[in-house]
Amino acid sequence: MLTKKQLDLLEFIHKRLQRDGVPPSFDEMKVALDLRSKSGIHRLITALEERGFIRRLAHRARAIEILRLPESLGGGSEPQNAGTEAQGFSPTVIDGGQDRTPARTSARHSSAVELPVMGRIAAGVPIEAISQVSHQVTVPGGMISPNGQHFALEVKGDSMIEAGINNGDIVVIRETEAADDGDIVVALVEGHEATLKRYHREGSIIALEAANPAYETRRYPEEQVRIQGLLVGLIRTY
């Protein structure tokens, strides 16, 4: 039996994982639950882990995996990934081609798809924009929107570590030119530098916010920033 705060936190983490593909930071959890300190979040996380609803991944900042959901959130008694090994999968290969324009890959209903990795994206200061396929990566079909176009990027840097995004991770991006406040986006800055940051609009100014206190939020006139895609998933190799 979960307390209301435990249930509220589990629901918040679940929704953010579905939306962003990565869990919220402890600061975001604290604000969402209207708590005064992060110590309260640590206690709730520990309680959820002890009850078998979540698992914290060792040596990874803010890395949380949901194992199961209570019935009130649409889950059952079994872990969310139970039975997947027995079911197997039939991968559908999506041809990324050698087009220099990212995201020429249409999603299909399948258990796994291949996406073109377009090179590296900065999770730090912006780096030169990349637009050339380096290799392919297989991703779960559930990450892919049926009507969207997607591509993948390798993360370089640690500025998004508190959002659970580490150096060397592969991020799955849905192509879009629109974003809402708080979304993690691929932004093209001044036409030639690409970066992975959390998006905020401040009137006619676009703020690109890091998830690491060592990096400052960078602000640009809106005409200098073009959204290229929205984070929908993350692949990590251990």
Side-chain angles (χ1 to χ4, degrees):
M1 187 71 177
L2 297 179
T3 67
K4 184 178 185 305
K5 284 292 187 183
Q6 291 166 359
L7 187 62
D8 288 346
L9 179 59
L10 184 60
E11 182 178 16
F12 179 62
I13 294 171
H14 176 57
K15 287 181 177 179
R16 287 295 295 272
L17 280 168
Q18 285 187 315
R19 190 190 79 177
D20 297 342
V22 294
S25 69
F26 277 34
D27 283 327
E28 290 170 326
M29 296 180 201
K30 182 187 73 172
V31 172
L33 270 68
D34 195 25
L35 296 178
R36 293 186 177 181
S37 70
K38 288 189 284 188
S39 62
I41 294 297
H42 282 282
R43 288 192 293 270
L44 293 173
I45 289 289
T46 299
L48 289 172
E49 189 172 28
E50 290 174 347
R51 288 161 175 77
F53 287 95
I54 65 171
R55 177 172 59 192
R56 283 181 284 193
L57 304 178
H59 312 302
R60 301 287 177 176
R62 308 295 187 261
I64 297 173
E65 177 185 10
I66 291 183
L67 300 178
R68 63 189 179 100
L69 294 172
E71 292 183 2
S72 60
L73 296 181
S77 59
E78 293 297 322
Q80 287 191 320
N81 59 355
T84 55
E85 292 182 2
Q87 293 173 5
F89 64 90
S90 300
T92 299
V93 177
I94 306 299
D95 182 12
Q98 295 298 320
D99 192 325
R100 291 181 61 85
T101 303
R104 287 296 175 259
T105 300
S106 299
R108 302 175 185 175
H109 295 288
S110 63
S111 296
V113 297
E114 283 194 3
L115 294 178
V117 179
M118 306 304 296
R120 290 186 172 185
I121 183 74
V125 296
I127 59 174
E128 210 172 302
I130 31 103
S131 58
Q132 193 168 20
V133 175
S134 62
H135 60 283
Q136 302 281 324
V137 64
T138 301
V139 303
M143 285 187 183
I144 307 301
S145 169
N147 300 316
Q149 295 180 330
H150 299 73
F151 59 98
L153 294 165
E154 182 182 351
V155 174
K156 179 179 175 62
D158 62 356
S159 77
M160 297 303 289
I161 195 168
E162 290 196 1
I165 304 172
N166 299 328
N167 184 56
D169 286 347
I170 299 292
V171 289
V172 179
I173 305 297
R174 176 172 59 83
E175 184 182 18
T176 181
E177 295 182 354
D180 296 324
D181 272 0
D183 286 343
I184 296 176
V185 303
V186 172
L188 187 66
V189 179
E190 297 180 336
H192 66 277
E193 292 181 329
T195 188
L196 184 73
K197 290 292 183 293
R198 197 174 294 280
Y199 170 93
H200 293 284
R201 175 175 283 277
E202 302 171 355
S204 62
I205 298 297
I206 302 300
L208 300 177
E209 180 186 52
N212 182 335
Y215 294 84
E216 65 180 9
T217 297
R218 294 177 175 267
R219 292 174 170 82
Y220 303 90
E222 59 182 350
E223 64 271 13
Q224 293 183 9
V225 178
R226 182 163 63 88
I227 304 302
Q228 291 191 310
L230 181 68
L231 176 71
V232 296
L234 181 146
I235 303 293
R236 177 169 297 154
T237 301
Y238 291 91

